[in-house]
Amino acid sequence: MIQFDEKSHTYTLDGVELPSVTHICRFLAYDYKSDKPWLAETAARRGTAVHEACALIDYGETPEETPEIAGYLKAYRRFLKDYRPDWELIEHPMGNLEFGYAGTLDRYGTLYDGRSCILDIKTGQLHGPSLRAQLTAYQELMPPWHSTPDYLYALKLSKDGTYELTEVRYDLELLKICLFMNQAVERKNHA
């Protein structure tokens, strides 16, 4: 069973530490080598707070709504009202030794019209290549007892209370490139 250590943000499966999907896809990230790392840290903290609050909403609880995240939660509630999802997996850690990576899937389930999907919640800019690799990685990690999703989506929540649901294309070749680059960097670092 996959173990996730929140403090160190590491995944372990059968005693083997696995890199995260985010780490593997870092080469495609917009702010990979940012000259303003404090902005990325602020965005990451906000994203984490929004993810945690959205999970509480999905579990029927009432999250603490700070002014910093209130608009994002309003946007998420609008999405829930419009699409009425039936989530089967919420913030679900997954990993595979054969694939050599792990990650936490935001959402997997069915929308009101019967579309099954993997959905990733975003609070910042959407970057196509990074999203394609990330959501493809999650689809590849899906447990075999769940059907392959019909769609991959990024749900961008905005501070002003609006949202944007964007379909993301499955891109196994791009994921393989990220895995290759990650392995090459790891070999270089351990040489």
Side-chain angles (χ1 to χ4, degrees), residues 4-165:
F4 177 63
D5 183 322
E6 200 167 325
K7 281 186 179 179
S8 64
H9 198 81
T10 55
Y11 294 88
T12 308
L13 181 60
D14 297 335
V16 177
E17 188 174 315
L18 296 172
S20 70
V21 169
T22 304
H23 183 73
I24 287 168
C25 298
R26 72 191 180 280
F27 307 104
L28 302 172
Y30 180 71
D31 60 355
Y32 172 50
K33 295 238 178 181
S34 173
D35 60 345
K36 299 175 185 167
W38 62 90
L39 292 177
E41 292 168 12
T42 300
R45 278 194 303 276
R46 179 188 65 230
T48 298
V50 170
H51 272 77
E52 290 172 355
C54 288
L56 289 172
I57 290 169
D58 286 332
Y59 287 123
E61 298 180 30
T62 304
E64 179 183 343
E65 290 196 38
T66 63
E68 183 184 16
I69 67 169
Y72 299 98
L73 300 186
K74 181 178 180 181
Y76 189 63
R77 287 185 178 104
R78 283 183 172 167
F79 164 78
L80 293 176
K81 182 180 176 195
D82 292 346
Y83 285 89
R84 301 184 306 279
D86 180 17
W87 299 130
E88 293 178 44
L89 301 173
I90 299 170
E91 298 295 331
H92 183 73
M94 305 181 296
N96 185 301
L97 290 174
E98 182 182 338
F99 297 161
Y101 66 89
T104 299
L105 173 78
D106 287 356
R107 305 289 185 280
Y108 169 80
T110 307
L111 304 181
Y112 73 96
D113 59 1
R115 286 178 283 174
S116 65
C117 69
I118 287 174
L119 181 132
D120 197 70
I121 297 170
K122 298 293 186 191
T123 58
Q125 301 254 353
L126 301 182
H127 302 288
S130 180
L131 281 170
R132 289 196 318 268
Q134 179 187 13
L135 291 172
T136 298
Y138 293 142
Q139 181 170 324
E140 289 297 307
L141 287 177
M142 283 298 294
W145 53 88
H146 290 286
S147 63
T148 301
D150 299 323
Y151 294 91
L152 304 175
Y153 289 118
L155 175 64
K156 180 182 178 188
L157 305 177
S158 297
K159 189 174 187 165
D160 67 1
T162 61
Y163 71 85
E164 177 185 338
L165 185 66

